[in-house]
Amino acid sequence: MGREILKAVPGVREVSAISGKWDLLVKLVIEEGFDVGQLVNEKLAAVPGIRRTKTQVAYFVYNPDDVFF
């Protein structure tokens, strides 16, 4: 299913198999102002085998050199 997601959904950077409540973690990188809800609901959810999704938005990437503790 990971390959199907990579082909069908623009902006996908990574698809990882994970343990726990969910089976896959999909990392999307989208342009500012783009509707992430539309992308998830119209593209990702349409991939055969996808039954549910949960969206988490990450706003910043921290560089290890910037962490002082």
Side-chain angles (χ1 to χ4, degrees), residues 4 8 14 18 26 28 34-35 37-38 41 49 51 55-56 69:
E4 289 82 5
E14 299 173 12
I18 58 173
V26 177
L28 295 166
F34 194 82
D35 186 352
Q38 181 181 13
N41 292 321
R51 292 186 286 169
T55 302
Q56 299 288 318
F69 55 87

Side-chain angles (χ1 to χ4, degrees), residues 24-67:
L24 296 174
L25 175 67
V26 177
K27 180 179 179 181
L28 295 166
V29 177
I30 60 172
E31 294 181 27
E32 186 176 333
F34 194 82
D35 186 352
V36 68
Q38 181 181 13
L39 183 67
V40 169
N41 292 321
E42 292 181 7
K43 298 287 187 179
L44 183 60
V47 173
I50 299 290
R51 292 186 286 169
R52 291 184 313 196
T53 65
K54 180 174 177 138
T55 302
Q56 299 288 318
V57 178
Y59 294 101
F60 301 103
V61 175
Y62 292 96
N63 183 326
D65 296 333
D66 295 336
V67 178

